[in-house]
Amino acid sequence: MLVSGNQILSEIISGELIEHFGNCIDHIKMLPIYLELGFDKKKFITDYDVNKCTKSEIQQLKDNFKIRGSYNSEAVDFYIGKYIAIKADPKQHINYPKSLAELKALDSNLFGILEKCIDDWKKMPIEKENIWDDDYNSISFEFYQSLSDWTEGKTFE
């Protein structure tokens, strides 16, 4: 709801990305529990064998992320989607470290915002009686605020 109320963020973060991001962070929390219960990691997601960030997708981001000083809104959305897909993939494809390095090189500030959000999410305890109180709200609001700050002074197409 915060994103939809922010003129710039609502242009660069699609509804599909919001849904994808939420699904991926759920996977990040659920995978360790799934594995502790003895289930097969290969059956955790239906597209287990799919590389979530290919070399051609990284090249597409490099070619389109920023053009003549303006950020491509769709490319920013794609960047965030690729980042979270890598982080949530239980397979951890062999090229992911290189893909993450390429994403970081493309925009280290945005990369850092995403890293902090995921690190905070991983640290958030789910054993609490109500995880949706302070921890969840502070992580999501800090993420929103950091993304909003990141957009300051930038132009988007």
Side-chain angles (χ1 to χ4, degrees):
M1 288 176 24
L2 288 170
V3 169
S4 65
N6 181 304
Q7 184 179 353
I8 295 173
L9 288 180
S10 64
E11 290 178 21
I12 63 174
I13 297 176
S14 65
E16 292 82 7
L17 176 59
I18 291 171
E19 184 176 324
H20 173 64
F21 198 93
N23 187 51
C24 287
I25 63 172
D26 285 346
H27 284 179
I28 288 169
K29 278 293 189 198
M30 292 183 326
L31 179 61
I33 297 165
Y34 181 86
L35 297 175
E36 282 178 25
L37 293 171
F39 293 105
D40 183 359
K41 180 167 55 169
K42 293 178 182 177
K43 295 181 181 177
F44 184 67
I45 57 174
T46 57
D47 60 351
Y48 178 83
D49 289 320
V50 175
N51 179 353
K52 307 302 183 290
C53 188
T54 65
K55 290 178 186 177
S56 64
E57 289 171 326
I58 290 292
Q59 189 58 53
Q60 182 182 355
L61 276 168
K62 286 180 177 179
D63 293 343
N64 296 296
F65 191 71
K66 193 173 181 183
I67 301 169
R68 293 180 299 282
S70 289
Y71 289 80
N72 179 322
S73 298
E74 289 178 13
V76 173
D77 183 270
F78 190 65
Y79 177 109
I80 295 169
K82 288 294 139 185
Y83 170 88
I84 194 63
I86 290 170
K87 289 295 189 170
D89 190 352
K91 185 175 183 184
Q92 289 306 298
H93 195 276
I94 194 166
N95 80 330
Y96 286 169
K98 184 171 186 203
S99 295
L100 288 169
E102 298 272 8
L103 290 175
K104 186 175 184 177
L106 195 55
D107 193 304
S108 63
N109 291 332
L110 180 56
F111 187 88
I113 291 166
L114 295 167
E115 284 280 280
K116 179 161 181 6
C117 177
I118 297 309
D119 288 345
D120 290 348
W121 180 252
K122 287 178 178 179
K123 291 175 191 169
M124 184 185 75
I126 59 172
E127 296 82 19
K128 290 173 54 174
E129 196 166 306
N130 185 357
I131 66 167
W132 304 113
D133 282 340
D134 300 327
D135 293 334
Y136 178 80
N137 288 328
S138 60
I139 291 168
S140 59
F141 184 76
E142 184 177 338
F143 181 53
Y144 161 79
Q145 190 61 56
S146 295
L147 286 175
S148 184
D149 292 347
W150 176 80
T151 65
E152 290 293 316
K154 294 177 174 64
T155 55
F156 296 89
E157 296 181 355

